[in-house]
């Protein structure tokens, strides 16, 4: 993967610098040796002169020596070695300073080091863009699986799984950065890995975009794909009244807090379906014009394909919104069914804790406070069940599981945590045109907890709830786009339409906007 290759390059560069430093050190030691050896030879010569006839020195040797008795020829090599060592050391130092100021790309071109603030901004933007691409690819791939064999879509399924894996790793690193305070070097390394993983995920999706277009051949097979989309549209339109009735039942049966998270889902689903209706009609009209006007067939086919792709995105999001209502209804019913068992388990744990407090003086000091909290939870939930008023089963189950008196109670925390994560995921998916990196990072952390460590369900739920709060904040800050066209505002908010007005399609950041409107086509 990219991260391992970049790490290998960093280690190689560091070892290369270390070797250069070693060369300088060896050169210096050799030079010192050459300087010392003549001085040692000088001592030997003095001893020889003394042992000889004390003053009988050969004339030729006196001429060759300097005033200090050292052979001038003996100093030539040491001085040259010292100079060479100095030049090598200066070269090494200068090169290290230059590498500290610049980096080398894989192609070999040097580039300025990206400031840490800009690197952080780049990582955040890539997280959002890559997450959008992964979600769009999953939606479009899901819409065409019924039309092709598993073997035909296998390369694109594999590319999507790879991109999801890289994106999940990038979100995990981003969460680590948010949870800790690394030093500048470690922070840079982590941010570079986020950038590398997101870039690799996008590159893989970009690489498969052309093949995916060839598989779909949407411009040639628009009539077939259009029929499939219209069938799916009719199925969802038929489900909408039932979802509206289900939502009404939830509001009558439970406390308002139980259904507030999906209160607007049905209306938003209707908005997406309205947009889909408009685009499906436009697509069919473009096909009809193409049949009547052979000269403009290519342009009409492109417009038909672009409108169809936008309709497919809206249909997929309408399904997410309607599924959210039906799923929550099932989760509330399941929570209400499990609540009596959870309450019995809490009562048993309370009895054991009270006995422990009364029977030993060595009870943990915090146990008394936990008992008081559990008694309060038990009383509140019992009152809610016995009263004629409505209550929130998921919240009641969450509170009982959070009493923290026995490990068995944590088993009941999984359903509320899963429900919160699903609600947050649905909101991000259908509002991704406005949701930023922070909400997506918290959602990824919640899903990771649930996938790998279900015993930590309370932490997962806290992350999921935080993700939803942050996502709602982003949507409020973004405002509701109001471009012309029925349902177009919701399509922009949902990331179905890109800023250029064209639909998002299977691919990475470089190719997902390839179905932009043909020249001369007005933006929606």
């Amino acid at each position: 993967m990219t991260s391992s290759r970049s790490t290998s390059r960093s280690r190689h560069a560091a070892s290369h610098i270390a070797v250069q430093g070693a060369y300088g050190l060896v050169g210096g030691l050799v030079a010192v040796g050459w300087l010392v050896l003549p001085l040692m030879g000088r001592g030997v010569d003095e001893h020889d002169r003394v042992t000889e006839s004390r003053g009988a020195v050969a004339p030729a040797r006196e001429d060759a020596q300097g005033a200090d008795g050292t052979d001038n020829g003996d100093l030539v090599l040491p001085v040259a070695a010292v100079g060479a060592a100095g030049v090598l050391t200066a070269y090494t130092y200068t090169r290290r300073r230059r590498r500290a100021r610049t980096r080398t790309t894989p192609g070999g071109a040097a580039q300025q080091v990206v400031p840490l603030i800009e690197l952080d901004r780049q990582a955040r933007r890539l997280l959002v863009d890559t997450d959008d691409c992964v979600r769009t690819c999953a939606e479009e791939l899901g819409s065409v699986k019924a039309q092709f064999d598993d073997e035909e879509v296998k390369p694109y399924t594999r590319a999507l799984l790879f991109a999801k894996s890289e994106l999940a790793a990038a979100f995990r690193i981003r969460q680590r950065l948010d949870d800790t305070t690394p030093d500048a070097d470690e922070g840079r390394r982590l941010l570079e890995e986020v950038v590398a993983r997101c870039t690799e995920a996008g590159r893989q999706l970009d690489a498969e975009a052309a093949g995916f277009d060839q598989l779909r051949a949407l411009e040639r097979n628009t009539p077939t794909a259009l029929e499939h989309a219209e069938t799916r549209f009719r199925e969802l339109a038929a489900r909408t009244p039932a979802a509206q009735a289900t939502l009404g039942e939830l509001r009558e049966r439970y406390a308002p807090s139980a259904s507030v998270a999906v209160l607007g889902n049905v209306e938003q689903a209707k908005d997406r379906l309205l947009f889909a209706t408009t685009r499906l009609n436009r697509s069919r009209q473009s096909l009809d014009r193409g049949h009547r006007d052979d000269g403009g067939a290519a342009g009409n086919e492109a417009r038909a394909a672009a409108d169809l792709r936008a309709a497919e995105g809206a249909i997929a999001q309408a399904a997410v919104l309607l599924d959210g209502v039906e799923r929550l209804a099932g989760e509330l019913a399941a929570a209400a069914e499990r609540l009596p068992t959870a309450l019995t388990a809490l009562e048993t744990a309370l009895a054991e804790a009270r006995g422990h407090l009364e029977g030993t003086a060595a009870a943990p000091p915090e146990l008394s406070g936990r008992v008081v909290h559990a008694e309060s939870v038990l009383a509140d939930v019992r009152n809610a069940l016995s009263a004629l008023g409505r209550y929130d089963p998921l919240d009641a189950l969450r509170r009982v599981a959070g009493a923290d008196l026995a490990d068995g109670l944590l088993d009941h925390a999984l359903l509320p945590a899963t429900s919160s994560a699903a609600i947050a995921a649905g909101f991000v998916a259908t509002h991704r045109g406005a949701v930023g990196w922070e909400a997506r990072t918290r959602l990824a952390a919640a899903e990771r907890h649930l996938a790998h460590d279900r015993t930590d369900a309370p932490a997962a739920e806290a992350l999921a709830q935080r993700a939803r709060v942050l996502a709602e904040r982003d949507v409020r800050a973004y405002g509701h786009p109001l471009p012309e066209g029925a349902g177009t505002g919701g399509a922009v908010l949902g990331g179905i339409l890109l800023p250029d007005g064209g639909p998002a399609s299977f691919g990475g950041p470089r190719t997902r906007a390839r179905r932009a409107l043909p020249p001369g086509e007005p933006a929606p």
Side-chain angles (χ1 to χ4, degrees), residues 264-266 268-269 272 316-325 426 430-431:
N265 278 33
V266 175
Q268 291 180 52
R272 298 297 193 276
Q317 290 196 11
V320 171
L321 292 162
L322 295 178
D323 288 345
V325 175
T430 55
H431 297 79

Side-chain angles (χ1 to χ4, degrees), residues 165-331:
S165 176
E166 290 292 280
L167 179 61
F171 273 130
R172 184 174 63 250
I173 297 167
R174 179 73 248 187
Q175 185 68 45
R176 176 182 170 188
L177 279 167
D178 295 341
D179 290 341
T180 60
T181 308
D183 59 33
D185 290 340
E186 178 68 3
R188 175 176 289 278
R189 186 188 70 79
L190 293 175
L191 287 172
E192 287 176 345
E193 186 168 0
V194 170
V195 170
R197 287 185 178 274
C198 288
T199 301
E200 185 64 15
R203 187 199 65 78
Q204 187 72 19
L205 295 175
D206 282 328
E208 299 295 341
F212 189 78
D213 284 349
Q214 290 178 1
L215 175 69
R216 293 204 71 183
L218 203 54
E219 284 76 8
R220 296 195 308 272
N221 297 331
T222 302
T224 301
L226 188 58
E227 290 178 3
H228 178 78
E230 289 173 338
T231 298
R232 182 63 175 145
F233 169 85
R234 287 190 291 269
E235 292 173 353
L236 292 172
R239 285 176 52 191
T240 303
Q244 185 75 64
T246 299
L247 185 59
E249 292 173 2
L250 296 180
R251 297 176 65 183
E252 291 178 2
R253 183 179 305 173
Y254 304 112
S257 62
S259 58
V260 66
V262 298
L263 200 57
N265 278 33
V266 175
E267 291 304 316
Q268 291 180 52
K270 291 178 180 178
D271 184 72
R272 298 297 193 276
L273 291 175
L274 177 61
F275 175 79
T277 301
T278 303
R279 291 309 174 110
L280 290 172
N281 289 337
R282 282 176 48 166
S283 180
R284 192 163 290 284
Q285 290 168 4
S286 295
L287 284 180
D288 293 341
R289 284 197 301 270
H291 293 153
R292 294 194 304 268
D293 183 11
D294 293 338
N300 285 315
E301 288 175 353
R303 278 187 286 273
D307 284 326
L308 173 58
R309 179 66 206 109
E312 289 176 341
I315 290 170
Q317 290 196 11
V320 171
L321 292 162
L322 295 178
D323 288 345
V325 175
E326 296 168 357
R327 183 190 60 252
L328 180 60
E331 290 167 345

Side-chain angles (χ1 to χ4, degrees), residues 105-456:
T105 63
Q111 62 179 7
Q112 289 298 116
V113 174
V114 178
L116 199 58
I117 294 178
E118 177 57 32
L119 185 62
D120 184 40
R121 187 180 298 113
Q122 181 183 2
R124 296 178 182 188
R125 183 179 65 253
L126 279 172
L127 282 171
V128 172
D129 290 347
T130 308
D131 190 47
D132 281 348
C133 291
V134 166
R135 292 177 183 277
T136 298
C137 289
E139 288 176 355
E140 186 169 4
L141 191 59
S143 68
V144 305
K145 276 188 174 181
Q147 306 172 46
F148 300 98
D149 296 334
D150 291 342
E151 196 63 28
E152 291 179 295
V153 299
K154 187 175 181 179
Y156 316 109
T157 302
R158 185 168 56 243
L160 179 57
L161 289 175
F162 174 83
K164 285 182 175 180
S165 176
E166 290 292 280
L167 179 61
F171 273 130
R172 184 174 63 250
I173 297 167
R174 179 73 248 187
Q175 185 68 45
R176 176 182 170 188
L177 279 167
D178 295 341
D179 290 341
T180 60
T181 308
D183 59 33
D185 290 340
E186 178 68 3
R188 175 176 289 278
R189 186 188 70 79
L190 293 175
L191 287 172
E192 287 176 345
E193 186 168 0
V194 170
V195 170
R197 287 185 178 274
C198 288
T199 301
E200 185 64 15
R203 187 199 65 78
Q204 187 72 19
L205 295 175
D206 282 328
E208 299 295 341
F212 189 78
D213 284 349
Q214 290 178 1
L215 175 69
R216 293 204 71 183
L218 203 54
E219 284 76 8
R220 296 195 308 272
N221 297 331
T222 302
T224 301
L226 188 58
E227 290 178 3
H228 178 78
E230 289 173 338
T231 298
R232 182 63 175 145
F233 169 85
R234 287 190 291 269
E235 292 173 353
L236 292 172
R239 285 176 52 191
T240 303
Q244 185 75 64
T246 299
L247 185 59
E249 292 173 2
L250 296 180
R251 297 176 65 183
E252 291 178 2
R253 183 179 305 173
Y254 304 112
S257 62
S259 58
V260 66
V262 298
L263 200 57
N265 278 33
V266 175
E267 291 304 316
Q268 291 180 52
K270 291 178 180 178
D271 184 72
R272 298 297 193 276
L273 291 175
L274 177 61
F275 175 79
T277 301
T278 303
R279 291 309 174 110
L280 290 172
N281 289 337
R282 282 176 48 166
S283 180
R284 192 163 290 284
Q285 290 168 4
S286 295
L287 284 180
D288 293 341
R289 284 197 301 270
H291 293 153
R292 294 194 304 268
D293 183 11
D294 293 338
N300 285 315
E301 288 175 353
R303 278 187 286 273
D307 284 326
L308 173 58
R309 179 66 206 109
E312 289 176 341
I315 290 170
Q317 290 196 11
V320 171
L321 292 162
L322 295 178
D323 288 345
V325 175
E326 296 168 357
R327 183 190 60 252
L328 180 60
E331 290 167 345
L332 287 169
E337 183 178 349
R338 297 181 190 183
L339 189 55
T341 302
L343 287 170
T344 300
L346 179 56
E347 289 174 337
T348 302
L350 264 175
E352 293 176 356
R354 292 192 192 105
H356 193 63
L357 285 174
E358 296 171 359
T360 178
E366 69 274 9
L367 181 58
S368 178
R370 288 160 57 189
V371 167
V372 171
H373 172 68
E375 289 174 339
S376 175
V377 169
L378 182 61
D380 289 346
V381 174
R382 287 289 189 196
N383 289 337
L385 289 174
S386 60
L388 295 178
R390 297 167 297 171
Y391 74 105
D392 183 344
L394 282 169
D395 182 63
L397 190 62
R398 179 185 302 114
R399 295 183 64 192
V400 171
D404 193 24
L405 275 181
D407 292 340
L409 290 172
L410 289 176
D411 295 339
H412 299 288
L414 183 59
L415 178 58
T418 303
S419 178
S420 294
I423 289 171
F427 188 89
V428 171
T430 55
H431 297 79
R432 60 178 178 264
V435 176
W437 67 273
E438 193 174 2
R440 299 174 194 240
T441 302
R442 302 300 174 265
L443 174 60
E447 292 173 336
R448 188 167 58 251
H449 273 280
L450 290 173
H452 301 293
D453 186 11
R454 293 198 164 201
T455 61
D456 202 12

